Amino acid sequence: MIQRKQSVFLLLAAVLMAVFVFVPALSVPLAEGGRYDVGALCAGATSVLHIDPLLLPLCVLVPVVAVITIFKYKNRMKQMSLCTVNILLVLALITAILIIAFVSLGKLAEGPFWTFLTWWDLLPVAALVMIICARRSIWQDEKLVRDSERLRG
């Protein structure tokens, strides 16, 4: 059923990741006084726009897969496999953000790499939690259907 709680979790994950497309994932203060922002599609008034070719596909794929997963409500096993794929995509996105912060931006500014992270970087983590909760809810639905069929037959 489309009105189940996993649909709410997946919709929230899709919205969180859709917002993440338009905000900076990393922000580095430059010596000249500006900021160097890295994100899928972000630009600020005082920043240099940098569209990352690794972040953009991952940021776009996660909400698309989440919405597709919502509409596969008749096939719970496919929903669970799509949730697993989405979990892997979000983990790849988080890993890519950390790698970019650690390797690339360390050359631009001094200081530890975690100082380049922004509060917006919590959005993929929250989306990951939502997708895990959705997968668990799908599994509980599947278990309930199997148990009811076992009792019926």
Side-chain angles (χ1 to χ4, degrees):
M1 290 179 274
I2 200 165
Q3 68 271 18
R4 304 295 288 176
K5 60 184 173 183
Q6 61 261 25
S7 300
V8 174
F9 288 137
L10 289 168
L11 184 65
L12 282 173
V15 168
L16 289 174
M17 290 309 299
V19 168
F20 190 71
V21 170
F22 299 103
V23 297
L26 302 167
S27 185
V28 180
L30 296 175
E32 299 88 40
R35 299 191 77 73
Y36 187 80
D37 291 341
V38 177
L41 292 173
C42 68
T46 62
S47 66
V48 177
L49 173 64
H50 178 74
I51 298 172
D52 197 276
L54 181 62
L55 294 181
L56 183 61
L58 290 172
C59 287
V60 171
L61 274 176
V62 172
V64 168
V65 172
V67 170
I68 290 171
T69 305
I70 292 172
F71 291 105
K72 294 289 184 185
Y73 59 90
K74 291 183 181 180
N75 190 347
R76 285 177 298 278
M77 296 310 284
K78 181 167 282 253
Q79 263 191 326
M80 284 181 34
S81 63
L82 285 172
C83 280
T84 303
V85 167
N86 221 354
I87 289 169
L88 293 175
L89 286 172
V90 173
L91 288 174
L93 175 66
I94 293 170
T95 304
I97 290 169
L98 291 176
I99 288 172
I100 291 169
F102 186 69
V103 176
S104 302
L105 298 181
K107 299 172 189 170
L108 290 176
E110 303 256 336
F113 76 93
W114 59 82
T115 59
F116 305 141
L117 300 175
T118 63
W119 287 104
W120 295 111
D121 292 326
L122 294 177
L123 289 178
V125 176
L128 180 66
V129 170
M130 294 293 165
I131 295 168
I132 290 171
C133 289
R135 189 178 190 286
R136 184 166 186 224
S137 297
I138 295 166
W139 175 249
Q140 288 172 348
D141 278 357
E142 181 65 22
K143 184 178 175 195
L144 181 69
V145 168
R146 285 184 182 179
D147 288 345
S148 65
E149 287 176 357
R150 183 178 48 91
L151 290 174
R152 207 179 302 153

